[in-house]
């Protein structure tokens, strides 16, 4: 065995920075490229975007119709397009249907409307189990649905990117779009949770 | 390929470490190197055009299975991206190891891809279909759990993309729509599953009219 093959594997951090450095040495990274892309990932891709889309669909029937017919065009009205958002399909929940999103093969997500995928969504546990044990997995994560509610899991196995359009909860009559958007979390947009009205019954400020 | 990445329906994993709505979305990245994964991936794929995202997915699938399972998500992105930059000749593994100060294992070698095989006539919403009972050595986006299974087309996309089994090997090919095909969990796993439905986004080349 040569010395090469018994060298300890460098840490993930050291390997990531080494890749960056090796590309810099070849002058392959335009100045500011990584900083700009990181800024987009951290700030522009945000589940608050998807929440605004849902809130608009709850108050505007024409927009809702557009969202369900052409999700990409509806999201584009807010400017929510770009990488991993070129073909967006909104999945409508009903009193007897709960839609849930996964990517079993990697971890594809609609970045511009949902933000980058959270750690749990990328876990081997979620990727392996939610397609086969959807009701059990949702219950473990805190959403215990009655048996008459069908759970439909959407595997993001090609380039369609999904978002869930949840049911508007009762007790939100008269709320503004911003107030409505505030109860639509990333987990609601993925489908493992439903929007919750604060127990006080008053809209969030 | 029938790889370790193809996790849908695989048994033995435990609870998901998350309770709904318990987390703030921020910070997006937890360690100071994690942003480099996607940034350098998009540098290679979008800015430099050296490779495409299907090639990146396949590079990650080509990680040695124990490395795949032991690596974090962003580490897999970094290693997949590094593998492609090396395979395309932009940098060398030796230089990566020098800079990292240790071994830098990359993806195992790329095999041949296969040609696209779109259906002669497109499928329509409501069509019963059967997923081809076939085994693919290279990149594919047909999860193993639907192989040979029957479902119903619920949507045909209005947008088109190149066939992953071809383009994932860096080969050119025409674009085609994909089909959202709905299956019952009974069809996929018999009684050894929770009752429910699963919709998988499949290229026409994976499907036969049933």
């Amino acid at each position: 065995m040569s010395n090469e093959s018994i060298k300890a594997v460098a840490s993930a951090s050291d390997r990531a920075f080494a890749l960056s450095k090796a590309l810099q040495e070849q002058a392959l990274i335009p100045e500011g490229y990584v900083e700009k892309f990181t800024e987009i990932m951290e700030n522009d891709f945000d589940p608050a975007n998807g929440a605004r889309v849902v809130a608009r669909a709850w108050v505007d029937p024409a927009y809702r119709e557009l969202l369900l017919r052409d999700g990409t065009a509806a999201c584009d009205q807010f400017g929510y397009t770009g990488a991993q958002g070129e073909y967006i399909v909104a999945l409508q929940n009903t009193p007897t249907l709960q839609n849930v999103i996964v990517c079993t093969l990697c971890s594809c997500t609609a970045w511009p409307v949902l933000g980058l995928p959270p750690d749990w969504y990328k876990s081997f546990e979620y990727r392996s189990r939610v397609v086969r044990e959807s009701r059990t997995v949702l219950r473990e994560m805190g959403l215990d649905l009655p048996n008459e509610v069908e759970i439909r899991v959407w595997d993001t196995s090609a380039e369609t990117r999904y978002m869930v359009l949840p049911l508007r909860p009762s007790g939100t009559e008269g709320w503004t779009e911003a107030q409505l958007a505030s109860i639509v979390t990333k987990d609601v947009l993925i489908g493992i949770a439903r929007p919750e009205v604060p127990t006080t019954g008053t809209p969030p400020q | 390929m029938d790889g370790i990445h193809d996790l849908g329906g695989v048994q033995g994993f435990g609870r998901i470490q998350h309770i709904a709505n318990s987390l703030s979305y921020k910070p997006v990245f937890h360690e100071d190197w994690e942003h480099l994964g996607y940034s350098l991936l998009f540098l290679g794929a979008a800015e430099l055009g050296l490779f495409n995202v299907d090639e990146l997915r396949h590079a990650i699938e080509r990680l040695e299975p124990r490395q795949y399972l032991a690596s974090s998500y962003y580490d897999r992105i970094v290693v997949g991206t590094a593998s492609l930059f090396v395979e395309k000749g932009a940098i060398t593994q030796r230089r990566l190891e020098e800079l990292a100060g240790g071994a830098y294992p990359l993806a195992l070698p790329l095999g041949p891809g296969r040609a696209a095989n779109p259906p002669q006539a497109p499928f329509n919403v409501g069509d019963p279909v059967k997923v081809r009972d076939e085994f693919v050595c290279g990149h594919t986006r047909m999860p193993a759990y639907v192989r040979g299974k029957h479902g119903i087309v619920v949507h045909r996309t209005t947008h088109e993309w190149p066939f992953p089994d071809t383009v994932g090997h860096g080969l050119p090919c025409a674009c085609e729509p994909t089909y959202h095909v709905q299956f019952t969990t009974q069809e996929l796993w018999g009684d050894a599953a929770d009752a429910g439905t699963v919709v998988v986004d499949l290229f026409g080349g994976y499907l036969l009219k049933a």
Side-chain angles (χ1 to χ4, degrees):
Chain A
M1 195 178 274
S2 71
N3 284 339
E4 293 287 324
S5 62
I6 57 168
K7 245 185 329 195
V9 175
S11 71
S13 170
D14 286 345
R15 284 180 288 108
F17 286 115
L19 174 59
S20 178
K21 187 83 197 321
L23 295 169
Q24 279 168 15
E25 287 177 347
Q26 299 299 320
L28 288 172
I29 308 182
E31 192 180 336
Y33 183 86
V34 169
E35 293 76 8
K36 177 77 171 28
F37 199 77
T38 301
E39 159 83 15
I40 291 170
M41 290 191 289
E42 289 187 319
N43 296 311
D44 294 5
F45 298 154
D46 192 321
N49 297 346
R52 286 185 204 102
V53 169
V54 168
R56 175 71 50 85
W58 280 347
V59 301
D60 180 345
Y63 184 80
R64 177 191 190 84
E65 190 273 329
L66 174 66
L67 177 64
L68 293 172
R69 179 168 46 82
D70 186 345
T72 321
C75 292
D76 189 35
Q77 286 195 2
F78 286 89
Y80 305 150
T81 56
Q84 297 297 307
E86 63 181 19
Y87 188 78
I88 296 169
V89 168
L91 307 170
Q92 180 176 216
N93 286 351
T94 73
T96 56
L97 177 67
Q98 177 74 32
N99 295 288
V100 182
I101 304 166
V102 66
C103 173
T104 62
L105 295 170
C106 42
S107 288
C108 300
T109 324
W111 293 357
V113 283
L114 266 60
L116 297 188
D119 291 338
W120 61 265
Y121 181 93
K122 298 180 287 194
S123 71
F124 300 143
E125 289 80 4
Y126 186 72
R127 286 170 49 194
S128 63
R129 292 183 61 208
V130 77
V131 282
R132 184 161 176 170
E133 301 176 74
S134 53
R135 196 170 299 273
T136 306
V137 164
L138 262 52
R139 190 185 302 123
E140 286 175 3
M141 296 174 86
L143 183 61
D144 195 358
L145 295 171
N147 280 338
E148 57 268 26
V149 177
E150 175 191 335
I151 301 175
R152 186 172 298 164
V153 180
W154 298 73
D155 191 349
T156 313
S157 51
E159 299 302 329
T160 306
R161 296 292 172 265
Y162 301 105
M163 61 174 285
V164 172
L165 174 58
L167 282 172
R168 178 173 174 172
S170 59
T172 59
E173 297 75 16
W175 287 23
T176 64
E177 274 186 53
Q179 288 166 336
L180 290 168
S182 73
I183 59 170
V184 180
T185 63
K186 187 180 190 76
D187 292 2
V188 167
L189 292 164
I190 293 173
I192 61 145
R194 289 179 159 186
E196 290 169 11
V197 177
T199 46
T200 59
T202 52
Q205 294 306 303
Chain B
M1 61 182 276
D2 290 313
I4 194 70
H5 69 284
D6 193 355
L7 284 167
V10 170
Q11 295 180 292
F13 289 99
R15 287 179 80 102
I16 292 121
Q17 298 300 308
H18 178 59
I19 296 297
N21 290 332
S22 64
L23 281 179
S24 160
Y25 176 58
K26 304 237 171 144
V28 173
F29 298 108
H30 302 301
E31 295 190 39
D32 64 356
W33 58 271
E34 290 183 339
H35 68 287
L36 291 169
Y38 283 152
S39 297
L40 299 176
L41 158 61
F42 274 78
L43 171 75
E47 178 75 12
L48 301 174
L50 270 180
F51 47 81
N52 59 60
V53 174
D54 271 298
E55 287 179 276
L56 181 274
R57 293 187 182 121
H58 190 44
I60 292 171
E61 293 160 9
R62 290 187 280 120
L63 298 188
E64 202 279 331
R66 281 163 292 202
Q67 183 181 1
Y68 183 99
L69 287 174
S71 306
S72 72
Y73 176 80
Y74 285 120
D75 190 17
R76 296 195 299 274
I77 303 279
V78 166
V79 175
T81 302
S83 300
L84 289 172
F85 275 113
V86 169
E87 290 173 11
K88 303 291 179 182
I91 55 176
T92 66
Q93 186 172 21
R94 174 173 290 276
R95 186 62 185 143
L96 287 173
E97 295 195 332
E98 287 168 2
L99 289 166
Y104 203 123
L106 298 173
L108 300 184
L110 177 69
R114 62 171 185 162
N117 181 29
Q120 292 192 333
F123 300 107
N124 293 303
V125 170
D127 281 353
V129 289
K130 180 187 178 189
V131 181
R132 287 173 184 268
D133 191 6
E134 64 185 2
F135 295 82
V136 181
C137 291
H139 183 56
T140 187
R141 295 292 286 183
M142 180 212 74
Y145 71 82
V146 297
R147 178 162 39 218
K149 302 296 184 181
H150 288 81
I152 304 286
V153 173
V154 295
H155 180 77
R156 180 174 70 214
T157 64
T158 54
H159 202 90
E160 300 186 339
W161 299 273
F163 192 53
D165 307 31
T166 310
V167 78
H169 290 255
L171 306 168
C173 73
C175 291
E176 51 181 299
T178 64
Y179 300 88
H180 300 176
V181 180
Q182 184 170 319
F183 304 87
T184 64
T185 54
Q186 174 77 35
E187 166 72 6
L188 299 175
W189 297 288
D191 293 332
D194 290 351
T197 47
V198 179
V199 180
V200 185
D201 193 1
L202 296 166
F203 280 78
Y206 302 149
L207 302 172
L208 297 167
K209 201 148 189 169

